[in-house]
Amino acid sequence: MENCLFCKIAAGEIPSNKIYEDDKVLAFYDIEPQAPVHFLVIPKEHICCADAIDSSNSAIVAYIFEVIAKIAKELKLEKGYRIVNNCGEEGGQTVKHLHFHVLGGRLLAWPPG
Ligand code: 5GP
Ligand code: ZN
């Protein structure tokens, strides 16, 4: 997808601080962390948003959650963490390539603002 920031990061055209990568997904630290640990997990395939998940592409979401659980163990987030997906304008999505935020390392307030 042309002009998609996270497609460019997935392709290595824009550098990122990588945590994990394979042929399907990339995990990298958020450039503007909102918690002591804040990373993003994206599919390498361009999917605009959670709203575009259907039976043809939902397997990647399950896989992303497997990857998150592995990384959380490696980063010793045993006290807990939060997985966030912002979808669409009112959901606060600014980058229109599906991504899951993983935040941890501090007590996170609920509900979010
Ligand atoms: P959204 O607001 O779409 O849910 O989340 C987009 C996230 O991408 C934000 O937390 C923002 O800080 C992060 N971000 C935006 N541009 C870059 C970048 O160039 N590199 C990295 N690592 N993160 C970015
Ligand atoms: Zn993209």
Side-chain angles (χ1 to χ4, degrees), residues 1 4-8 44-47 96-98:
M1 177 64 69
C4 170
L5 175 65
F6 285 178
C7 278
K8 287 181 180 163
K44 288 195 166 175
E45 169 197 6
H46 181 86
I47 299 170
K96 291 180 176 40
H97 178 127
L98 182 68

Side-chain angles (χ1 to χ4, degrees), residues 52-113:
I53 299 295
D54 60 22
S55 59
S56 76
N57 59 13
S58 60
I60 196 67
V61 177
Y63 184 62
I64 284 172
F65 273 67
E66 286 180 35
V67 167
I68 289 172
K70 275 187 205 157
I71 295 173
K73 285 176 188 73
E74 279 164 24
L75 298 182
K76 308 211 181 313
L77 293 175
E78 65 274 346
K79 286 169 121 179
Y81 53 91
R82 184 170 294 166
I83 301 170
V84 173
N85 171 259
N86 297 324
C87 180
E89 192 184 339
E90 290 202 356
Q93 183 177 8
T94 58
V95 179
K96 291 180 176 40
H97 178 127
L98 182 68
H99 55 281
F100 292 88
H101 297 255
V102 181
L103 300 128
R106 68 169 170 84
L107 185 61
L108 298 160
W110 187 263

Side-chain angles (χ1 to χ4, degrees), residues 5-6 9 14-17 28-32 34 38 40 85-86 92-96 99 101:
L5 175 65
F6 285 178
I9 286 179
I14 292 176
S16 66
N17 192 357
F28 57 101
Y29 286 104
D30 196 291
I31 207 168
E32 219 176 294
Q34 303 300 316
H38 183 180
L40 305 172
N85 171 259
N86 297 324
Q93 183 177 8
T94 58
V95 179
K96 291 180 176 40
H99 55 281
H101 297 255

Side-chain angles (χ1 to χ4, degrees), residues 5-26:
L5 175 65
F6 285 178
C7 278
K8 287 181 180 163
I9 286 179
E13 289 164 21
I14 292 176
S16 66
N17 192 357
K18 288 179 197 175
I19 304 172
Y20 174 82
E21 181 173 22
D22 63 26
D23 55 331
K24 295 194 284 283
V25 301
L26 175 68

